[in-house]
Amino acid sequence: MSETRSAEFAAADPRFAQRVRASFDRQGAMRTIGASIAALEPGYCAIALVPRAELSQQHGYVHAGIVAAIIDTAGGYAGLTLFPADSSVLTVEFKLNLLAPARGEQLVAEGFVVKNGRSLTITRGEVHAVDRGRRTLVALMQQTLMTMHGRADAPDA
Amino acid sequence: MSETRSAEFAAADPRFAQRVRASFDRQGAMRTIGASIAALEPGYCAIALVPRAELSQQHGYVHAGIVAAIIDTAGGYAGLTLFPADSSVLTVEFKLNLLAPARGEQLVAEGFVVKNGRSLTITRGEVHAVDRGRRTLVALMQQTLMTMHGRADAPDA
Amino acid sequence: MSETRSAEFAAADPRFAQRVRASFDRQGAMRTIGASIAALEPGYCAIALVPRAELSQQHGYVHAGIVAAIIDTAGGYAGLTLFPADSSVLTVEFKLNLLAPARGEQLVAEGFVVKNGRSLTITRGEVHAVDRGRRTLVALMQQTLMTMHGRADAPDA
Amino acid sequence: MSETRSAEFAAADPRFAQRVRASFDRQGAMRTIGASIAALEPGYCAIALVPRAELSQQHGYVHAGIVAAIIDTAGGYAGLTLFPADSSVLTVEFKLNLLAPARGEQLVAEGFVVKNGRSLTITRGEVHAVDRGRRTLVALMQQTLMTMHGRADAPDA
């Protein structure tokens, strides 16, 4: 019984964290919903979000699409931590299972690189709701990313 | 060569459109991103959204998560048009392929019911970017919904 | 209400049908399960299979994995019809919903190219059970393919 | 950095292993491809398969559909270990990423229950190729199962 853990990854670009944070800061959508980067390591990214009425679906929980937005972002930036300095990241596709209502004090979306290939990178992701010190698994994701070589993820690079 | 078209569906509840619109109006997330219902028929729902900087990813296009939010909503409400009056809809899971940059004058997300079962309903979805009269396919979705019987999708029902 | 049809595609290689059939004939798995190519057009492939006990799951219907095998193949070869002569096809990923028991006189798996990109191609697929002239939708698929340029799909090409 | 491990699960039915093995033995498809149960615990199932030419795709590796067949089965039986004695399991849908050629001395497909709900159960799965003592991750899966209550998974139960 040997579920694969996030492997040990090494960042190709020592300035990976700075590069990911600069890219995140250019995302108007993340600012609009109020998400922030909670953690960043080679092959890993966590995005935090505080639930509020402006992000709700019809029952008052956080909308599945907003959950998708933070886990897609966490997976994408988990990948970007490993990409060369002169490249950017595109989501090819992702699949999301919703397991429990997205509510509580905070949502934490975590993306983990499973395989970092030259053109395609595979991640998986989890979103947990944190409430009174208790974590509940809210969503599970599997994602395919593409590395855009030679196209730095900066407006004026 | 016989790709299945959206079948002809009949709404179980004659007030389906009113019920879907009331549910949509309770979604804070749709209001925050500025989405609206563009069309509603039994087994079908279209959601429209105007791209703007507040919804962008790092390259200035609409964020994949926002694309996910509108197509998840379109698929979910395509399903809800067919559900009994005393029920509501939950997204079990969806899978989204992103095919082209989400930009232009307007995005239109369309959900189509493929099979309406007693507990599970399957939809597929498409997001098109509309620009100067030209439609470009931006995203393709496949989704599983659950009917919550006996739980009307209203706050005080 | 405008679900995208399989677009009109043109084959890059006029000998596409011969190339796909030669590739199919090298698939030991298709021979073992008894599948055959039922139709082939640019951007389209249909695979036929007769249900039998050797392909069953525990309730006697055709195993979901065998359904997956024929629809993955149909999608992959729908893509290969459009690829250059000196390339081959790899499945990056697919997602399959199972809608009804896979049984009857014949299963027909149909793959349709939705977008044919330079490196990635997106297809969707449907499996129908045919019984006494009646078609039942058994499975729905969405798939990502990769074109392997410069690697012809033949052992001695 | 806290990827969710397979939780600790308790089997509702003490005879779960016997029940799963009897169900597996009724699968003609598993016999045809030569798969066997390698391990079984509450919430976990491993299926082993020896690659051979009869299971190949066009390049000689094990066909993606056969990889799908063993991981769908592993996930489904991981779920069934936790289900009540008078129930059976159906695959609602699964999504599979193919990461590396499926070849070597043996393939091992492992299914892990992530959440065991009353009607729906979510699993994830991995397929590894084992060759000369080395394990390579070949495929990654995410799956939704349905519990069929009151319908024991036996022909004469």
Side-chain angles (χ1 to χ4, degrees), chain C residues 83-132:
Chain C
F83 293 1
D86 68 339
S87 65
S88 58
V89 58
L90 275 185
T91 300
V92 172
E93 58 85 37
F94 65 89
K95 180 252 200 287
L96 185 70
N97 272 80
L98 300 152
L99 308 183
R103 59 179 164 189
E105 295 156 15
Q106 195 180 43
L107 300 182
V108 180
E110 297 178 286
F112 307 86
V113 172
V114 174
K115 182 179 175 183
N116 177 26
R118 197 187 124 72
S119 65
L120 297 181
T121 290
I122 311 304
T123 73
R124 55 185 183 200
E126 300 179 2
V127 184
H128 285 85
V130 183
D131 204 51
R132 299 172 200 192

Side-chain angles (χ1 to χ4, degrees), chain A residues 23 26-30 32 53-54 56-59 63-65 69 72-73 91-96 98 153, chain B residues 23 26-30 32 53-59 63-65 69 72-73 91-96 98 153:
Chain A
S23 177
R26 285 193 298 277
Q27 293 204 340
M30 290 297 107
T32 297
E54 288 76 18
S56 72
Q57 34 85 291
Q58 69 275 27
H59 304 112
H63 195 287
D72 169 59
T73 301
T91 300
V92 172
E93 59 85 34
F94 65 90
K95 181 251 199 288
L96 184 70
L98 300 153
D153 192 16
Chain B
S23 178
R26 284 193 299 278
Q27 294 205 342
M30 290 298 107
T32 297
E54 288 76 18
L55 305 176
S56 73
Q57 35 85 293
Q58 68 274 26
H59 304 113
H63 195 287
D72 170 59
T73 301
T91 300
V92 172
E93 59 84 37
F94 65 90
K95 180 252 200 289
L96 183 71
L98 300 152
D153 192 15

Side-chain angles (χ1 to χ4, degrees), chain C residues 15-101:
Chain C
R15 295 174 67 250
F16 75 88
Q18 189 172 330
R19 197 158 47 92
V20 168
R21 288 181 190 280
S23 177
F24 185 89
D25 288 347
R26 285 193 298 278
Q27 294 205 340
M30 290 298 107
R31 201 159 41 238
T32 297
I33 67 174
S36 59
I37 294 180
L40 210 50
E41 300 173 26
Y44 174 74
C45 175
I47 304 283
L49 180 71
V50 175
R52 57 186 213 274
E54 287 76 17
L55 305 176
S56 73
Q57 34 85 293
Q58 69 274 27
H59 304 113
Y61 309 135
V62 175
H63 196 286
I66 303 298
V67 173
I70 57 173
I71 191 62
D72 169 58
T73 300
Y77 285 138
L80 190 59
T81 62
L82 303 181
F83 293 1
D86 68 339
S87 65
S88 58
V89 58
L90 275 185
T91 300
V92 172
E93 58 85 37
F94 65 89
K95 180 252 200 287
L96 185 70
N97 272 80
L98 300 152
L99 308 183

Side-chain angles (χ1 to χ4, degrees), chain A residues 70-128:
Chain A
I70 57 173
I71 191 62
D72 169 59
T73 301
Y77 284 137
L80 189 60
T81 62
L82 302 180
F83 293 1
D86 67 339
S87 66
S88 59
V89 59
L90 276 186
T91 300
V92 172
E93 59 85 34
F94 65 90
K95 181 251 199 288
L96 184 70
N97 273 81
L98 300 153
L99 308 182
R103 59 180 165 189
E105 296 156 14
Q106 194 180 45
L107 299 182
V108 181
E110 298 177 286
F112 308 86
V113 173
V114 175
K115 181 179 177 184
N116 178 26
R118 197 187 124 72
S119 64
L120 297 182
T121 290
I122 311 304
T123 74
R124 55 187 184 199
E126 300 180 1
V127 183
H128 285 85

Side-chain angles (χ1 to χ4, degrees), chain B residues 25-97:
Chain B
D25 288 346
R26 284 193 299 278
Q27 294 205 342
M30 290 298 107
R31 201 158 41 237
T32 297
I33 67 174
S36 59
I37 295 180
L40 211 48
E41 299 174 27
Y44 174 75
C45 175
I47 304 283
L49 180 71
V50 175
R52 56 186 213 275
E54 288 76 18
L55 305 176
S56 73
Q57 35 85 293
Q58 68 274 26
H59 304 113
Y61 308 135
V62 176
H63 195 287
I66 304 298
V67 174
I70 58 173
I71 192 61
D72 170 59
T73 301
Y77 285 138
L80 189 60
T81 62
L82 302 181
F83 293 0
D86 68 339
S87 65
S88 58
V89 58
L90 276 185
T91 300
V92 172
E93 59 84 37
F94 65 90
K95 180 252 200 289
L96 183 71
N97 274 79

